[in-house]
Amino acid sequence: MKRILVSSLISSNRHAWITSKIAEEADYMVRNIFNQCKNSTSTSIVNIRTTTRHYCANVIKSVIFGKRFFEDVEEEEEHGTALFTILAHIHTLSISDFLPWIKVFDLDGHRKEVTQALTMVRKYHDPQIKDRIHMWENGLKTEQVDFLDVLLMLKDEKNGKPMLTIAEIQDLMIATVDNPSNAVEWALAEMINKPEMLVRAREELDIIVGKERLVKEFDLPKLNYIKACIREAFRLHPVAPFNVPHASIEHTTVGGYFIPKGSQILISRLEIGRNPNVWEEPLKFKPERHLKKSASFEVVLSDPELNLFSFGTGRRGCPGVAMGSTMTILMMARLLQGFTWTLPPNISKIELIESKNDLFLAKPLLACAKPRLPNNVYPKC
């Protein structure tokens, strides 16, 4: 699947098309927040978690299916909730993990919850896939446009059958929605509590982009401070405590520890990002730690030395680093450029507390947004 992703889906030849979809969804996001402000006397309380998750989900839906096919708010919520339910159970321990013979009883209810979530996701995905298959079989479609077209046309070399599975579509969706949205929510929460960071980020945007147009993909390499804020969020507030499990394919020794062949390997994102031997004051949000004095130095979100865990690295790293980085940076930059963010009324600071069940903020981030650009710059309906 990774080979297919790299060669056929997220190759350099498709980068411009993917970026255009990311930019379209960034326009929708900015426009929706701006419209909320217009309807609330130029200031509005925005649910950042909902905003960022919808943006990420809509990007991957546009890339896979070629359209934003969930226009109803309730459908968006239903689909998004199902995706995050599946994500929540990836690292959840079950008693049947240790006593496989009781798996059939589903004592903790995990199987039921995941089954219901998968059914909900397929409720929206399956009709799109079936319609597309029908179009190809009846000659109504002859050109590959989006990821779904590419996947449908991929054939197994041995038997000539399609290689697409529903699970692969779900994997693509799941791999895209949580990491960028979580990083931006945490970064913005930290920055609202320290307004001087917001000021510095806006100054960077005003110098590099200005106020007469929205930030574009070609601006992103120059936005080092904003990228440092996101990178710091990846370090301090990872989306999950561990990486996805891997298995050792042979006996090996790492750091003096013998790892038998077939062992399940889990890397602690928390321990890596908060390692006091690597990071000074590891529990403090300090974006400047990622900046260097060299004018030619460019901050990137990945770390090949794995001193923080954003997208992984090497053969088992995320194949969508370029896409994920562009999604995350453009989302953050648009939010900071388009709006002034302040605390909601009667709130003295954002409580930076992790949820009991995962590493998301315990409560969704709510913040007051006020437009800071000329009205003509914001995308129109």
Side-chain angles (χ1 to χ4, degrees), residues 10-214:
I10 51 179
S11 63
S12 57
N13 293 333
R14 290 186 175 271
H15 180 73
W17 178 79
I18 293 172
T19 301
S20 70
K21 293 296 182 181
I22 294 172
E24 286 176 12
E25 292 307 325
D27 284 346
Y28 277 113
M29 178 185 70
V30 171
R31 186 190 70 195
N32 289 339
I33 298 174
F34 180 67
N35 287 340
Q36 289 182 51
C37 295
K38 285 200 305 182
N39 296 330
S40 305
T41 319
S42 298
T43 303
S44 178
I45 296 180
V46 177
N47 187 320
I48 299 298
R49 179 172 299 177
T50 299
T51 298
T52 56
R53 287 184 176 183
H54 280 183
Y55 162 83
C56 292
N58 287 337
V59 166
I60 195 61
K61 283 182 287 189
S62 294
V63 168
I64 292 177
F65 298 103
K67 60 182 179 179
R68 308 170 77 247
F69 59 89
F70 304 156
E71 299 296 343
D72 183 83
V73 175
E74 291 185 1
E75 290 183 345
E76 288 281 4
E77 293 287 349
E78 196 172 57
H79 180 258
T81 299
L83 286 177
F84 276 89
T85 298
I86 297 169
L87 280 163
H89 285 81
I90 288 178
H91 296 290
T92 300
L93 291 177
S94 171
I95 190 172
S96 60
D97 294 335
F98 306 96
L99 300 172
W101 62 273
I102 64 171
K103 184 176 181 179
V104 65
F105 300 108
D106 192 26
L107 297 178
D108 41 31
H110 291 176
R111 177 185 288 184
K112 179 180 179 181
E113 292 177 17
V114 172
T115 299
Q116 290 175 342
L118 288 171
T119 301
M120 188 61 64
V121 168
R122 294 192 62 170
K123 168 185 172 183
Y124 295 108
H125 292 184
D126 286 8
Q128 301 296 320
I129 297 171
K130 291 177 181 177
D131 287 347
R132 190 67 61 85
I133 291 173
H134 174 78
M135 293 174 68
W136 279 103
E137 289 178 345
N138 291 275
L140 301 175
K141 194 169 182 62
T142 57
E143 183 181 357
Q144 296 179 15
V145 176
D146 49 38
F147 281 15
L148 183 57
D149 287 330
V150 176
L151 289 169
L152 286 174
M153 292 299 101
L154 290 172
K155 307 294 183 180
D156 190 292
E157 295 179 356
K158 294 181 179 180
N159 54 34
K161 294 182 179 180
M163 296 175 65
L164 172 71
T165 68
I166 298 298
E168 286 160 357
I169 291 289
Q170 290 166 179
D171 288 348
L172 288 172
M173 295 289 297
I174 290 170
T176 309
V177 296
D178 62 338
N179 207 13
S181 59
N182 179 69
V184 169
E185 182 180 15
W186 270 109
L188 194 54
E190 293 272 11
M191 295 169 77
I192 290 173
N193 277 354
K194 299 176 181 178
E196 66 275 10
M197 293 184 180
L198 290 174
V199 172
R200 181 171 178 179
R202 287 195 295 264
E203 288 176 348
E204 180 178 68
L205 283 159
D206 291 346
I207 291 171
I208 293 173
V209 182
K211 294 185 176 181
E212 300 305 316
R213 66 174 177 86
L214 290 175

Side-chain angles (χ1 to χ4, degrees), residues 185-363:
E185 182 180 15
W186 270 109
L188 194 54
E190 293 272 11
M191 295 169 77
I192 290 173
N193 277 354
K194 299 176 181 178
E196 66 275 10
M197 293 184 180
L198 290 174
V199 172
R200 181 171 178 179
R202 287 195 295 264
E203 288 176 348
E204 180 178 68
L205 283 159
D206 291 346
I207 291 171
I208 293 173
V209 182
K211 294 185 176 181
E212 300 305 316
R213 66 174 177 86
L214 290 175
V215 59
K216 303 291 186 181
E217 188 258 348
F218 58 79
D219 298 309
L220 304 187
K222 302 175 184 177
L223 301 177
N224 275 342
Y225 184 72
I226 289 173
K227 288 186 287 184
C229 292
I230 300 170
R231 186 179 164 95
E232 183 70 344
F234 278 131
R235 181 195 70 81
L236 184 57
H237 304 295
V239 69
F242 299 100
N243 71 319
V244 176
H246 290 75
S248 59
I249 59 175
E250 59 185 24
H251 296 318
T252 187
T253 300
V254 178
Y257 293 93
F258 173 69
I259 301 175
K261 178 181 178 179
S263 298
Q264 291 291 310
I265 310 300
L266 290 171
I267 298 175
S268 174
R269 296 172 183 243
L270 284 172
E271 293 299 320
I272 288 176
R274 301 177 185 182
N275 184 353
N277 296 322
V278 176
W279 304 103
E280 182 181 349
E281 297 183 297
L283 299 183
K284 288 189 177 182
F285 187 83
K286 298 172 62 176
E288 59 273 12
R289 73 171 85 237
H290 303 288
L291 300 173
K292 294 184 179 180
K293 294 182 180 180
S294 172
S296 61
F297 176 76
E298 180 185 344
V299 175
V300 295
L301 301 189
S302 58
D303 189 340
E305 296 181 359
L306 278 185
N307 287 323
L308 61 87
F309 207 108
S310 52
F311 297 101
T313 189
R315 292 178 60 194
R316 296 295 179 261
C318 174
V321 174
M323 177 180 173
S325 295
T326 301
M327 281 179 60
T328 310
I329 302 165
L330 190 61
M331 171 169 48
M332 187 72 177
R334 287 284 185 93
L335 289 173
L336 294 172
Q337 183 197 24
F339 307 94
T340 299
W341 297 97
T342 54
L343 293 163
N346 304 318
I347 299 294
S348 59
K349 68 174 183 178
I350 304 296
E351 294 293 335
L352 302 175
I353 301 174
E354 296 169 354
S355 169
K356 293 181 180 179
N357 300 319
D358 50 50
L359 298 182
F360 299 129
L361 268 172
K363 296 180 180 179

